[in-house]
Amino acid sequence: GLILALATFKFQIVLILALLLLISRKCRLLGGFTFGCAILALASFVVTGGAGIIEYFRFVRRFDLHNGYGSINPASMMNWRGLLAGIGWQDHQRMYAAIGSAMLIALGIAASRWIRSGQDQELGFSLYVAIALAASPYNYFQDATILLLPLFLVMDRVARARVVGIRARLIVLCCGLLFVWPVILLIFGGHYFWNSRIYLVFPVIICFIVLLAV
């Protein structure tokens, strides 16, 4: 919980992960996470004051309402919002993205039963991290580096023959695509991630989530 609190500068991802871990009855996480967040909040208050904290949340809200150069570019995100923006689906984009995120979180909640009762804690944690990234309302290409931990955990399970058969081969293929596919998009789509149709990585992340959940 203390370590997880250090990542709250990406609160839109960490809060989803913390929720899923708590549903899996990782109750001791709550104490450490709450204490860590309280220490960080106190440090922020000392540095910026109460007015600065309030203004920060106002700034995030205003920034999220505007798209375009210098503001949020949803098509550069690897989540439901990015996919919808990338394919040109502008009508009710926020609502549909919220519904998609809720479905992913519901999948994590449904999977918590076998995660609690089974021995595949690594796969369960990997599933939660992937869902937290994919369901977050705001993420960019660099945020996907948090997938390195679940990728290494899953590949370790495959290497030790804890996951076998067609599922193991599909997981290896998916893990490989998560490295190769962004490079291909950069080569053929543009010189930078924001003009390379990077939102097309999101379907691969969804496949990774499904393979972990089945």
Side-chain angles (χ1 to χ4, degrees), residues 50-96:
I53 293 176
I54 295 173
E55 180 57 31
Y56 168 73
F57 286 105
R58 289 175 178 170
F59 165 77
V60 171
R61 176 61 178 164
R62 289 194 301 266
F63 195 73
D64 188 61
L65 292 175
H66 301 285
N67 298 331
Y69 184 78
S71 297
I72 285 179
N73 181 11
S76 296
M77 299 182 191
M78 291 175 292
N79 53 15
W80 290 111
R81 189 175 177 185
L83 183 64
L84 292 173
I87 63 178
W89 195 331
Q90 300 297 330
D91 295 337
H92 308 294
Q93 181 190 114
R94 295 173 189 273
M95 181 182 70
Y96 290 130

Side-chain angles (χ1 to χ4, degrees), residues 144-156:
T145 54
I146 69 170
L147 288 179
L148 286 173
L149 178 57
L151 285 176
F152 287 141
L153 288 172
V154 170
M155 289 302 296
D156 179 66

